[in-house]
Each structure stands twice: as structure tokens, then as C-alpha cells.
Amino acid sequence: QKYNPMDLISIQLVKNLSRDIKYESYEQMKYITYLPVGWYKCSYVNVDSENDSSTIENETILVYEFNRAKYENMLEKMPEYLWNKKRYGSETVNESALYYKATKLVGDFFDDPIDNFDDELITNVQKLIRHVAQNDTKPVFFDYSDRKKYDMDQVVKEITVLPGPEIHSRLEKLFNDSQLHWKLLYKDFNTFRTAYDNANRLYYSPPVYNDAYGESAVTLEPLTHERKQEIRKKNENRCHACYSRLFEEREIRYIEIDHIIPVSRGGNDDEDNLQCLCEYCHNLKGTRIINFKKNSTSLLSAPNKLQLFNPPYSEATEWTIARIVNWFYQCAACAYIDHPGDPGSGDFEGNTGIFEIVLYKGNDPHWLDSYKPDLLKFIIEQLQFTHIRELQVTIDNNDNC
């Protein structure tokens, strides 16, 4: 279903009113921050393979104050990334290739998750890639010149000084003003009033986010593209949590820069607080404080649950198991994994049927004892290692570990 720009703005504003805890760290931003400064109009041809028909897709990409310059910079440099325009301009483009190219652009030019507060960033970049690849030009940007008329924080400042009954009647008058477009942004008065009440609460009682030591969080400038590339290069483009690695020519995985202690909880941009995570592990971590640069756990006892994360797309078995083990120990506890070959290889000469997980020192292998049956079942059924009969968890006795 396609929407016009005002419909899209309305949908996003209503989503903001009911956002879950995932977005709580953005509530301190001013209301006008969530009103776009404009939008890109994308157009590209898409083929429906099921119906054997093609359609022209006209898409609207909302752009905000905090990411407009990043979109412009990305679009300026996008031709350098689309060296194979035929691949991405195809009307039947490979979805996996498109997704991974979009995640790479997002990692290079945006500061996810801040720029992805609406969960649309990668989808939007995919649409922009298709437009540029097919049209060989940037999409047209439309400026939302009336934006400041609908700043709810300004409404709060002007109306909140009135007595309670007058506030309600003034809001009704404002909402029904035919010269304004509040009814396009909020489909009914109750939703409009809820937006006002939220803006009023946040304007006069802004939330304070503290770190583990009770100190107020600070506002940081986004990491530069050069700084991100430097950090990735230093870690060989490898995820600290699952050890997956970016293979440029295959576009298997993109590496993002994560704050161990999130900025919203007092974290800073010091090198000790930054780690490399693939997009999958980054999404899993969220705003939790987990240091995957450490090889020994800081937990005092075994967690009461082992999360068996299904592998995203096609990935190496070692990455999937390392992610499960490291998430359990809340650090990079997995030293390496030894197993008798991948499913389907047919090369099981001398196969012992043993799948071995080797941990770094400082991690108790017995913590996994009660979870071995479930993990073994996962390896056999989900990863299709049907030739495995036993799971062992041991410690790496190498003194250099």
C-alpha cells in the first residue's frame, strides 16, 4: 500500500506515541525532531515473478533533521558503491544482494540505531539503491517548508499557561483550523490531545538517563566515517560477538560499531567503549551493557537460560555456535570450535562424531552441562549435523590465551 507524504508523517507520529521500550532513549529529543524536513521521491521498475508482470514503484522516503546530511552524502557517493549497476538496477534484483549492499551503506554513512528510530532505514536505502541504479541519477528532494507550523513543543509553550478548561478548547480550535493540517497528521482529536499531553510532560519534565555509576549521560557527536573504518580495520572487519567477518567480494556480513555502554546510559566514544558487531549481533545486544572484547565472563553464576539463536541467512556454523556461547557467558568466551566437517560435504573420514566447543580460561565449562542436550539437538536438527553424536565443552589450555 502506497501513502502520500502527509500520510507517512501521520503514521510515524502515531507510532511515536506508542513506541515500546526499545525507543525510550529518544524521548528526550524535541518534538520537531520527529517532523521530517522533507522527502525523496523514488521511482523504479519492479517485476512480480508470480504474476509475470512489471510495475513502476513510486516511493516516498521521509528525511529528518538529524539524517538529511547523511542521506545527501550517501547519495553523492553511492555510484562508487554501485560499480555493478546492472546487478542492482535489474527489475528482478537479488533481494539478498540488495539487502547486504544497503547494510553496507547504512554502516558507512549513518549512526544506527539513532538514524533508524523508525526501523525503516535499511528499507529506505534499498529503495534509493534501486532508483539510482535504474535512473542513473539521484531522486528529487521535496522540502517540507511548513514543518515549523506543527511543532508541538511550541504549541505547549503557547497554550500550557492557560487554565485547564481553556487549554482543551484552544486545542480543539487549533485541531479544527481549516488553514492548518493537524487533521492530516493526527486522524482524530483524541490522538492529537495525547500528542500534546506527551509533549507537555516531556517539555517540563525531561527524562534523565544515567550510567551505572549514577552520572548523567552526555550528548556525543556521531562517529565519523573515518573513525568507524579505522576501528573496523583494527579488528579485521570481524564481529567481536560471533567472529563473523566481512568478505567484500561476497557481501556476507556488514560490521557496525557498537558502544559497549550505550550513549543513552552514559557511554562515551573512547576506544575501550567501542566494539565491532555484525548487524545481527548488534540488533540482539540493543542497549544492554555487554563487553564482547573480553575473553572471560564477569558473571558470578550460570545464566538460567541458553538462547539458541537461529542463524541469519547462510552463515558458517562456527559463527552461529560462537554467538550462542558468547551470549550465554556475556563475553567472547569461545576460543574455537572443532567438528568433523560441514553437512553435505561427504568428507567424514575418521569422523569421531564429536562436536567440541573450546572456551578461553576464566569461563566455567560446567555452566553449559544442563543445556548440552538442547544444544546438541539444535546442532543436529537446525544446523543439520546429523553425524554428530556427542557434544563436548572444554577449556583451551594454551598459556597464551
Side-chain angles (χ1 to χ4, degrees):
Q1 184 179 6
K2 300 294 185 295
Y3 300 95
N4 65 45
M6 293 302 288
D7 281 341
L8 285 174
I9 297 170
S10 172
I11 290 168
Q12 188 55 53
L13 288 174
V14 173
K15 282 172 64 178
N16 291 347
L17 292 179
S18 58
R19 70 163 51 91
D20 60 23
I21 194 169
K22 178 180 177 182
Y23 299 113
E24 67 177 1
S25 61
Y26 303 112
E27 283 191 353
Q28 75 272 30
M29 294 166 69
K30 295 179 179 178
Y31 175 90
I32 200 170
T33 304
Y34 299 109
L35 287 176
V37 294
W39 48 83
Y40 288 108
K41 294 294 291 186
C42 294
S43 179
Y44 54 87
V45 178
N46 189 50
V47 170
D48 185 343
S49 56
E50 292 185 3
N51 299 320
D52 194 25
S53 61
S54 62
T55 57
I56 297 176
E57 303 288 350
N58 293 299
E59 303 281 3
T60 299
I61 310 297
L62 297 182
V63 179
Y64 297 87
E65 189 175 56
F66 50 83
N67 61 20
R68 179 177 181 179
K70 299 168 191 175
Y71 269 113
E72 290 175 349
N73 188 28
M74 180 193 70
L75 286 167
E76 190 68 30
K77 297 182 179 179
M78 188 176 284
E80 300 173 16
Y81 287 74
L82 304 183
W83 55 270
N84 187 350
K85 283 188 179 179
K86 184 177 180 180
R87 181 184 191 186
Y88 300 102
S90 170
E91 297 171 3
T92 56
V93 62
N94 181 282
E95 293 295 332
S96 294
L98 183 63
Y99 173 83
Y100 280 116
K101 181 62 70 175
T103 59
K104 182 173 183 179
L105 285 163
V106 166
D108 278 2
F109 294 98
F110 295 88
D111 302 294
D112 192 25
I114 294 174
D115 294 307
N116 191 34
F117 82 101
D118 57 1
D119 281 337
E120 296 292 334
L121 185 57
I122 289 179
T123 300
N124 289 342
V125 173
Q126 287 177 306
K127 294 172 183 176
L128 291 169
I129 289 172
R130 299 196 69 180
H131 175 97
V132 171
Q134 287 190 15
N135 297 285
D136 202 26
T137 185
K138 295 188 293 185
V140 176
F141 181 80
F142 292 84
D143 189 85
Y144 184 27
S145 56
D146 288 340
R147 174 174 174 261
K148 291 185 178 180
K149 291 182 181 179
Y150 304 99
D151 182 358
M152 191 66 82
D153 289 337
Q154 188 61 37
V155 173
V156 168
K157 285 194 285 186
E158 293 174 358
I159 294 181
T160 193
V161 294
L162 300 174
E166 289 187 34
I167 289 177
H168 189 80
S169 60
R170 181 70 69 87
L171 287 173
E172 283 187 324
K173 183 177 180 181
L174 186 66
F175 182 72
N176 292 310
D177 189 335
S178 60
Q179 300 300 310
L180 296 172
H181 295 151
W182 286 110
K183 286 186 176 181
L184 291 177
L185 297 176
Y186 296 102
K187 300 304 182 183
D188 57 63
F189 178 74
N190 288 336
T191 308
F192 173 72
R193 177 62 198 252
T194 300
Y196 170 84
D197 290 338
N198 281 3
N200 181 65
R201 172 177 57 84
L202 293 171
Y203 185 80
Y204 287 100
S205 302
V208 176
Y209 297 97
N210 300 319
D211 63 14
Y213 302 99
E215 298 173 354
S216 297
V218 295
T219 301
L220 303 177
E221 291 295 323
L223 292 174
T224 64
H225 170 63
E226 291 73 20
R227 179 92 188 277
K228 288 181 178 180
Q229 292 293 68
E230 179 185 334
I231 296 168
R232 293 187 186 106
K233 184 177 180 180
K234 186 173 182 179
N235 197 55
E236 299 180 333
N237 274 311
R238 191 181 298 276
C239 175
H240 277 108
C242 71
Y243 314 144
S244 62
R245 187 175 179 181
L246 168 68
F247 292 92
E248 179 72 26
E249 67 276 10
R250 294 172 60 192
E251 299 182 299
I252 289 180
R253 190 62 52 85
Y254 195 67
I255 304 300
E256 299 172 352
I257 307 303
D258 170 71
H259 288 81
I260 295 169
I261 300 176
V263 174
S264 62
R265 301 178 68 175
N268 56 39
D269 284 344
D270 292 349
E271 187 171 342
D272 288 345
N273 192 48
L274 300 175
Q275 61 187 348
C276 293
L277 297 180
C278 69
E279 72 272 18
Y280 187 81
C281 291
H282 198 192
N283 287 333
L284 287 176
K285 177 179 176 289
T287 57
R288 299 174 178 86
I289 299 176
I290 308 175
N291 187 351
F292 288 111
K293 294 167 75 173
K294 294 181 4 180
N295 292 129
S296 60
T297 185
S298 57
L299 300 177
L300 300 178
S301 59
N304 57 14
K305 182 179 181 182
L306 177 70
Q307 293 180 278
L308 300 174
F309 303 112
N310 284 317
Y313 304 103
S314 176
E315 71 170 12
T317 299
E318 289 81 3
W319 300 352
T320 301
I321 298 301
R323 180 184 299 112
I324 291 171
V325 171
N326 291 343
W327 193 265
F328 179 77
Y329 285 95
Q330 301 284 279
C331 67
C334 184
Y336 63 90
I337 292 166
D338 189 18
H339 60 80
D342 289 322
S345 67
D347 183 18
F348 300 134
E349 184 177 350
N351 177 15
T352 62
I354 297 175
F355 193 105
E356 184 179 13
I357 298 172
V358 183
L359 305 178
Y360 286 111
K361 293 178 181 178
N363 305 288
D364 189 344
H366 296 297
W367 283 9
L368 283 169
D369 285 351
S370 61
Y371 303 108
K372 280 185 180 179
D374 288 338
L375 185 52
L376 180 59
K377 181 179 180 182
F378 176 86
I379 292 169
I380 294 172
E381 296 182 0
Q382 295 298 319
L383 304 184
Q384 299 183 355
F385 276 70
T386 55
H387 54 291
I388 297 298
R389 296 292 177 264
E390 182 183 349
L391 173 63
Q392 293 182 356
V393 183
T394 61
I395 290 291
D396 189 342
N397 291 316
N398 187 335
D399 291 336
N400 294 323
C401 291

